Amino acid sequence: MSKIAVYFMPGLAASTSIFERIELPEEQFDVHLLEWEIPLDKEILPDYAKRIAQKITHEKPVLIGVSFGGILVQEMAAFLNVRKVIIISSAKSNLEFPRRMKIAKSTKAYKLLPMRLLLNIENLAKFSFGEKVNKRLKLYEKFLSVRDLRYLEWAVEEVILWGRTVVDASVVHIHGDNDDVFPIKYIKDCIVVKGGTHVMILNKYRWLNTNLPAIIMGTYKEEMQLEETEKEVS
């Protein structure tokens, strides 16, 4: 039996190194890591998604995206014949956005963000991963790699203005109950990871390594989910 191709997309401004602890059985899965590229002039998210989708070289791949990467892989699926789309610490439509993001859209407050200041790693970490970062900066300096001003301005606007209101019921959503970027109270129909934060791709990797194969294969049952015991990165 041929291996299942699995493509991972990191979160906003993040490098593929966020997946360094993710291990899927090599005899069953063929893992590939996608990277952010600088957007073209006036390139909207669907066009960007089409461009990144052209990097997929396997038929019927599984797409797994984290945070903004989760939004992107949902858009990429429109241009591919996918086996499955899985999002982690993300949202299935803008209806799952927190109130502050909806206000930012209606008031265009996101245009007032000092993007040049976000090129600083501490500010970028707070923006990309939430507020609880003061003890994690050395960690994030490794994982946050895209500090291009044009990319940041584009990415923030495309997240805030994401127009999807109809959820694709086939999308599998994995979400932590302690996510401070996309709070769980706004999220519907997801696999809940207890104690999972917005960066659980880093600190709940054992849970993911244990449960992702079954989630990909469609044999996962939440009431039988296997827990991990490692402490969160602080």
Side-chain angles (χ1 to χ4, degrees), residues 18-104:
I18 70 168
F19 301 116
E20 66 182 15
R21 296 174 177 175
I22 300 300
E23 298 178 355
L24 299 179
E26 293 183 3
E27 68 278 4
Q28 191 174 12
F29 302 103
D30 187 11
V31 173
H32 304 268
L33 305 179
L34 297 169
E35 296 183 345
W36 291 106
E37 296 191 359
I38 305 305
L40 305 176
D41 289 341
K42 298 181 180 180
E43 188 172 31
I44 60 175
L45 185 60
D47 291 340
Y48 185 92
K50 183 178 182 179
R51 183 156 63 92
I52 301 300
Q54 292 171 353
K55 298 184 178 298
I56 306 294
T57 58
H58 297 79
E59 294 196 8
K60 298 211 61 132
V62 174
L63 305 182
I64 300 179
V66 175
S67 193
F68 183 35
I71 290 175
L72 179 64
V73 296
Q74 291 177 80
E75 295 296 317
M76 289 170 60
F79 307 102
L80 298 164
N81 180 20
V82 299
R83 180 187 180 103
K84 186 164 291 185
V85 174
I86 299 171
I87 64 173
I88 300 171
S89 308
S90 189
K92 297 183 291 299
S93 78
N94 61 27
L95 301 179
E96 294 186 326
F97 283 0
R99 186 174 302 172
R100 62 179 179 274
M101 291 180 67
K102 295 177 180 179
I103 292 174

Side-chain angles (χ1 to χ4, degrees), residues 85-214:
V85 174
I86 299 171
I87 64 173
I88 300 171
S89 308
S90 189
K92 297 183 291 299
S93 78
N94 61 27
L95 301 179
E96 294 186 326
F97 283 0
R99 186 174 302 172
R100 62 179 179 274
M101 291 180 67
K102 295 177 180 179
I103 292 174
K105 178 180 180 179
S106 62
T107 63
K108 299 189 184 301
Y110 65 92
K111 289 183 175 292
L112 301 178
L113 287 172
M115 290 300 174
R116 290 190 181 277
L117 294 180
L118 288 183
L119 297 179
N120 172 278
I121 185 62
E122 180 175 0
N123 293 323
L124 183 55
K126 289 179 180 179
F127 183 81
S128 297
F129 288 117
E131 293 297 325
K132 302 172 184 178
V133 298
N134 35 339
K135 293 183 179 180
R136 304 175 181 168
L137 289 179
K138 288 185 179 179
L139 184 70
Y140 291 158
E141 191 162 13
K142 174 181 179 181
F143 295 116
L144 287 171
S145 64
V146 187
R147 304 181 202 175
D148 180 90
L149 183 61
R150 184 167 66 172
Y151 166 82
L152 289 174
E153 291 177 338
W154 171 85
V156 170
E157 183 168 62
E158 292 301 324
V159 171
I160 297 296
L161 299 183
W162 191 38
R164 180 168 299 205
T165 57
V166 178
V167 171
D168 181 347
S170 68
V171 171
V172 179
H173 190 169
I174 305 172
H175 210 82
D177 62 3
N178 198 27
D179 192 308
D180 62 339
V181 175
F182 296 108
I184 191 70
K185 66 180 180 180
Y186 300 108
I187 305 298
K188 300 182 183 300
D189 300 321
C190 68
I191 297 171
V192 178
V193 178
K194 296 178 181 179
T197 66
H198 195 63
V199 294
M200 67 180 182
I201 193 68
L202 301 178
N203 53 40
K204 292 292 184 181
Y205 66 93
R206 289 182 182 161
W207 187 98
L208 291 164
N209 288 344
T210 300
N211 293 284
L212 265 180

